[in-house]
């Protein structure tokens, strides 16, 4: 088992530290230094994992930090995150960060296809909470950090052409913890 990413939320996307200077980027248990945009580093590492393990069953969990604040879009490393500027950002910054996540998901799907395992891989895309202050959760009310539907109701997309019917919509309430049993059953 391996882990690559940041330990806490609010990591600077270019320096990988918390606003108090705590280094957050880890490779396993070791703090590491890197260069590049955090979302890109996570996408590259996840894609390399797929490439390495494509010939055997594997489980890969990719928890992007984006679109979590600080609001630092790709290709704009300055200013460094501080307690005072952590929430400085625009809807355009938020959209650019989300588009970067979309590109990473595309990289993963592309690698699964390249390895010939795309159609027989359960691929799940979801979120831990509703969008935050720069998002639009309409028609749901409110946003992240609330118990209104806009704060807790999120889509959960599943793709597994070898096992799941295409285009099926399920409106049964669920929680991401329900996925544990799904993954275990799929692995059997």
């Amino acid at each position: 088992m391996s882990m690559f990413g940041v330990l806490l939320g609010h990591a600077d996307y270019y320096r990988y530290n918390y606003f108090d200077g705590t280094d957050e980027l880890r490779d396993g248990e070791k703090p590491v230094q890197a260069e590049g945009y955090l979302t890109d580093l996570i996408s590259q590492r996840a894609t390399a994992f797929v490439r390495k393990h494509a010939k055997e069953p594997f489980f890969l969990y990719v928890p992007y930090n984006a679109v979590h604040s600080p609001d630092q879009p790709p290709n704009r490393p300055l200013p460094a995150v501080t307690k005072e500027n952590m929430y400085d950002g625009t809807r355009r910054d938020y959209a650019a960060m989300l588009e970067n996540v979309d590109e990473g998901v595309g990289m993963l799907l592309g690698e699964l296809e390249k390895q010939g395992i795309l159609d027989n891989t359960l691929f799940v895309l979801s979120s831990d909470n509703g969008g935050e202050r720069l998002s639009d959760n309409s028609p749901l009310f409110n946003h992240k950090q609330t118990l209104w539907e806009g704060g807790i109701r999120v889509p959960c997309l599943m793709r597994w052409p070898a096992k799941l019917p295409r285009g099926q919509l399920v409106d049964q309430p669920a929680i991401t913890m329900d996925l544990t049993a799904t993954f275990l059953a799929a692995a059997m």
Side-chain angles (χ1 to χ4, degrees):
M1 182 177 350
S2 65
M3 178 273 192
F4 178 81
V6 294
L7 295 177
L8 303 169
H10 304 295
D12 186 301
Y13 283 82
Y14 296 93
R15 291 155 202 83
Y16 330 114
N17 60 1
Y18 197 56
F19 62 76
D20 69 0
T22 304
D23 290 327
E24 294 192 45
L25 188 61
R26 299 287 190 273
D27 189 348
E29 295 180 17
K30 297 185 321 188
V32 293
Q33 296 297 315
E35 287 188 31
Y37 189 64
L38 180 59
T39 304
D40 293 337
L41 296 177
I42 292 170
S43 296
Q44 292 161 8
R45 189 66 170 262
T47 302
F49 181 93
V50 168
R51 192 175 310 114
K52 180 178 179 182
H53 296 283
K55 303 292 184 229
E56 61 196 20
F58 66 84
F59 176 82
L60 174 62
Y61 172 61
V62 184
Y64 288 107
N65 203 47
V67 288
H68 204 281
S69 48
D71 304 313
Q72 293 176 297
N75 304 313
R76 203 177 76 206
L78 295 174
V81 68
T82 64
K83 189 174 187 177
E84 292 74 31
N85 73 7
M86 183 176 304
Y87 298 103
D88 290 354
T90 65
R91 190 161 164 78
R92 182 172 296 207
D93 295 336
Y94 185 85
M97 293 171 72
L98 185 55
E99 286 175 4
N100 193 254
V101 170
D102 288 347
E103 290 170 10
V105 169
M107 282 176 55
L108 282 167
L109 290 169
E111 188 62 36
L112 289 166
E113 184 172 34
K114 181 179 175 183
Q115 297 298 326
I117 58 174
L118 178 61
D119 287 348
N120 198 27
T121 297
L122 174 58
F123 195 94
V124 179
L125 183 63
S126 191
S127 180
D128 63 343
N129 50 250
E132 56 117 273
R133 71 197 195 303
L134 297 173
S135 65
D136 180 357
N137 297 324
S138 298
L140 306 176
F141 177 71
N142 227 305
H143 52 82
K144 176 182 175 175
Q145 297 179 332
T146 72
L147 295 178
W148 296 98
E149 283 196 80
I152 59 174
R153 187 171 163 188
V154 298
C156 181
L157 307 172
M158 295 182 163
R159 182 189 192 284
W160 194 7
K163 302 277 185 178
L164 297 176
R166 183 182 178 126
Q168 182 176 1
L169 179 63
V170 177
D171 60 5
Q172 177 181 347
I175 190 167
T176 52
M177 291 179 282
D178 292 335
L179 293 173
T180 304
T182 300
F183 298 148
L184 183 59
M188 301 307 225

